Amino acid sequence: KAIDKHGAIAGSYNDSNNAIHGFLRHPDGRIVSFNAPGAGKGANQGTFVQAINDTGTIAGTIFDSANAAHGFIRSK
């Protein structure tokens, strides 16, 4: 998980099928779930969030349906 100076928190979670999804918790408590483009939907595949900066840009890694790793950046 990562947090910016405004209190936004970004991280990842597993669903009931063990696929990984990203989330952003805004400082006001709203939570947004997201999947980076190309992220796989199988077990141990998906969107792994690693960082958020103070402008709200999120970076991380996806594992696609072939289990290949790719970087992603999600702008605010």
Side-chain angles (χ1 to χ4, degrees), residues 3-4 6-9 16-17 21 29-30 36 39-41 47 50 52-55 59-61 63-65 67-68:
I3 188 167
D4 72 9
H6 307 290
I9 300 169
S16 60
N17 296 316
H21 308 278
R30 290 177 298 127
K41 297 178 181 156
T47 302
Q50 295 164 308
I52 185 171
N53 69 15
D54 291 336
T55 63
T61 303
F63 285 87
D64 64 20
S65 59
N67 293 317

Side-chain angles (χ1 to χ4, degrees), residues 1-21:
K1 294 181 180 93
I3 188 167
D4 72 9
K5 72 176 183 180
H6 307 290
I9 300 169
S12 302
Y13 68 94
N14 295 50
D15 67 17
S16 60
N17 296 316
N18 212 27
I20 313 301
H21 308 278

